[in-house]
Amino acid sequence: MENQEGTQQPHLVLAHKRFLLTHPDVQDIEKVRLKEEVFAMVKSDDMASFYETLVAESVLEMDQSVLDSMRAKIESELKKLDEKIADAEENLGESEVREAHLAKSLFYIQIGDKEKALEQLKVTESKTVAVGQKMDLVFHTLQLGFFYMDFDLISKSIDKAKNLFEEGGDWERKNRLKVYEGLYCMSTRNFKKAANLFLDSISTFTTYELFPYDTFIFYTVLTSIISLDRVSLKQKVVDAPEILTVIGKIPYLSEFLNSLYDCQYKSFFSAFAGLTEQIKLDRYLYPHFRYYMREVRTVVYSQFLESYKSVTIEAMAKAFGVTVEFIDLELSRFIAAGKLHCKIDKVAGVLETNRPDAKNALYQATIKQGDFLLNRIQKLSRVIDL
């Protein structure tokens, strides 16, 4: 369970393979290979309870002899760990007792026993004094949370980590926490906060246990595109040297980002189509696939329409390399949902933009709030008169 710098946490690799096994878009021949790899990983870590879960979900077939063997190994290892704890408590100091309890916590995490791992981590925490070591326990809990996609556990652990940082804590761990929180925000559809946290961590990224640096840049670009304005996108993403060194390794991503910024909409749609497969097959982004697709199209259509007071639907369809019927259907959906500020003149085949005036909107909001305040004061004066 302890990972070296630069290597992804094995259980998160396993979780991703399990996700692909249940994905409808993964080919059957690929699933045969994945099933063998998942079974080998479960077997090597003696993940008995997780094996039973996968069998219940019809992801793997039951092999009773394998399950019995895993249970026997678990029992034997737990006996050894309990003996070490007892020996440390009788003959050694507090740090050795803590290490013995930590070893048991990590073993429960290794075998995928979530409840017992969390209990044992609490016991280990009660034996821990240093803030840094307490933070490491929180990171173990967070990894467990991401393995099971337990967002309640992740949220509570992030809050706990922030409280610990008020007592102290080093910058390296603080920067790591930003990536964990960013991943949590992205997984719960808070793309704007995720983008800000990821961008803050670009130059200090060391969280290789969650995902490789290439994947981190992939998430950073995707979340930034639908969260940042044009100027911020240019400064923080398009021209960022850390992103430029990696973006070329990720298929379609460079074209996706640069064609949006350079207003090359036909190239943008082409790259977007290539990226959809990667987004679909990502464990954290898949639940938000349709939402993300809508948000990206809102951004690109808004950017195109920003330059015009009116434009023909045919010209817009040509710019995006799609049919007039497609763009007409797309825009009518976005306009009805209040995502785009324009109207379609179907007879003339023209789009007329009606961007809201910021000053006028502020004036209307002030009038509305003023009326509300006057009503409240009148009601209050009646109560006082009584």
Side-chain angles (χ1 to χ4, degrees):
M1 195 69 191
E2 288 288 345
N3 47 277
Q4 297 171 353
E5 188 179 9
T7 61
Q8 193 177 1
Q9 214 270 0
H11 279 197
L12 293 178
V13 176
L14 172 62
H16 181 63
K17 288 181 178 178
R18 175 204 187 181
F19 162 75
L20 293 176
L21 264 177
T22 57
H23 200 292
D25 292 351
V26 176
Q27 295 181 346
D28 289 342
I29 192 162
E30 179 72 7
K31 284 184 178 179
V32 171
R33 182 184 63 79
L34 285 166
K35 193 177 277 190
E36 289 172 1
E37 290 175 2
V38 167
F39 181 66
M41 291 174 87
V42 167
K43 194 176 171 184
S44 69
D45 280 343
D46 298 319
M47 301 176 78
S49 58
F50 187 62
Y51 178 52
E52 288 177 299
T53 302
L54 293 179
V55 169
E57 292 175 357
S58 303
V59 174
L60 296 178
E61 289 80 37
M62 172 59 83
D63 185 330
Q64 194 60 46
S65 62
V66 170
L67 184 62
D68 292 340
S69 168
M70 284 194 274
R71 282 177 174 160
K73 285 180 186 174
I74 289 168
E75 199 176 322
S76 169
E77 187 61 30
L78 283 174
K79 195 175 177 183
K80 288 178 189 173
L81 289 166
D82 285 335
E83 284 171 3
K84 279 184 182 177
I85 290 169
D87 179 54
E89 285 173 344
E90 284 179 28
N91 306 313
L92 302 168
E94 287 179 4
S95 61
E96 287 82 1
V97 171
R98 182 196 171 275
E99 289 300 316
H101 278 288
L102 177 62
K104 191 174 180 181
S105 302
L106 295 178
F107 179 69
Y108 276 131
I109 293 171
Q110 179 195 308
I111 63 172
D113 195 329
K114 180 185 169 187
E115 301 308 321
K116 287 185 178 174
L118 291 173
E119 283 175 27
Q120 190 59 38
L121 282 165
K122 281 181 184 174
V123 174
T124 309
E125 189 187 359
S126 68
K127 310 282 182 187
T128 306
V129 177
V131 173
Q133 290 179 332
K134 284 184 179 179
M135 273 302 309
D136 290 338
L137 296 177
V138 174
F139 285 130
H140 285 306
T141 309
L142 283 166
Q143 288 166 27
L144 203 58
F146 281 117
F147 178 74
Y148 287 101
M149 290 299 236
D150 184 342
F151 294 124
D152 185 49
L153 176 64
I154 295 166
S155 176
K156 285 175 180 173
S157 299
I158 288 169
D159 290 341
K160 185 177 181 178
K162 287 178 178 176
N163 291 333
L164 281 170
F165 279 135
E166 289 176 10
E167 299 173 27
D170 57 90
W171 282 106
E172 192 264 336
R173 287 186 176 94
K174 283 184 182 178
N175 289 327
R176 281 176 66 200
L177 183 66
K178 280 183 184 177
V179 180
Y180 278 87
E181 189 178 0
L183 182 58
Y184 165 71
C185 290
M186 188 183 77
S187 304
T188 52
R189 207 177 279 186
N190 188 349
F191 290 114
K192 188 171 180 64
K193 190 174 180 182
N196 290 330
L197 287 163
F198 286 153
L199 287 166
D200 281 350
S201 310
I202 280 184
S203 56
T204 56
F205 180 82
T206 56
T207 324
Y208 297 100
E209 68 272 16
L210 281 183
F211 35 62
Y213 191 62
D214 291 9
T215 306
F216 172 68
I217 294 299
F218 177 67
Y219 292 154
T220 305
V221 172
L222 290 188
T223 52
S224 297
I225 275 177
I226 61 169
S227 305
L228 303 182
D229 58 62
R230 238 178 108 72
V231 176
S232 300
L233 191 70
K234 174 74 170 167
Q235 289 173 347
K236 297 180 180 180
V237 183
V238 176
D239 291 340
E242 296 89 353
I243 289 176
L244 289 170
T245 55
V246 175
I247 198 168
K249 299 176 187 175
I250 305 160
Y252 303 106
L253 193 62
S254 178
E255 192 183 350
F256 180 65
L257 173 65
N258 292 307
S259 59
L260 173 67
Y261 186 77
D262 296 335
C263 305
Q264 303 292 325
Y265 299 113
K266 201 179 285 188
S267 301
F268 175 82
F269 259 33
S270 171
F272 189 33
L275 269 182
T276 52
E277 195 66 20
Q278 293 179 60
I279 297 168
K280 263 188 190 177
L281 297 178
D282 186 276
R283 183 167 164 253
Y284 304 108
L285 289 171
Y286 177 66
H288 316 293
F289 174 68
R290 290 171 68 84
Y291 172 83
Y292 186 79
M293 297 282 281
R294 282 197 305 273
E295 288 300 304
V296 167
R297 274 146 51 212
T298 302
V299 168
V300 75
Y301 294 148
S302 298
Q303 181 175 293
F304 177 84
L305 293 169
E306 193 78 27
S307 310
Y308 299 94
K309 179 69 180 168
S310 65
V311 62
T312 63
I313 299 173
E314 190 179 347
M316 188 171 179
K318 193 176 179 183
F320 283 92
V322 294
T323 63
V324 170
E325 291 76 17
F326 174 82
I327 211 80
D328 183 39
L329 182 64
E330 278 275 272
L331 294 177
S332 58
R333 284 177 186 161
F334 285 111
I335 292 166
K339 295 277 188 182
L340 293 176
H341 301 289
C342 62
K343 58 184 179 182
I344 301 172
D345 184 340
K346 190 77 173 174
V347 177
V350 171
L351 279 165
E352 293 180 8
T353 60
N354 54 354
R355 286 186 292 279
D357 181 357
K359 278 187 180 177
N360 195 32
L362 183 63
Y363 173 73
Q364 294 296 337
T366 307
I367 294 291
K368 195 174 179 181
Q369 287 168 0
D371 285 344
F372 178 70
L373 181 61
L374 283 171
N375 288 334
R376 291 289 296 271
I377 290 168
Q378 284 171 354
K379 284 178 184 175
L380 187 63
S381 65
R382 286 191 208 113
V383 172
I384 293 167
D385 288 344
L386 287 171

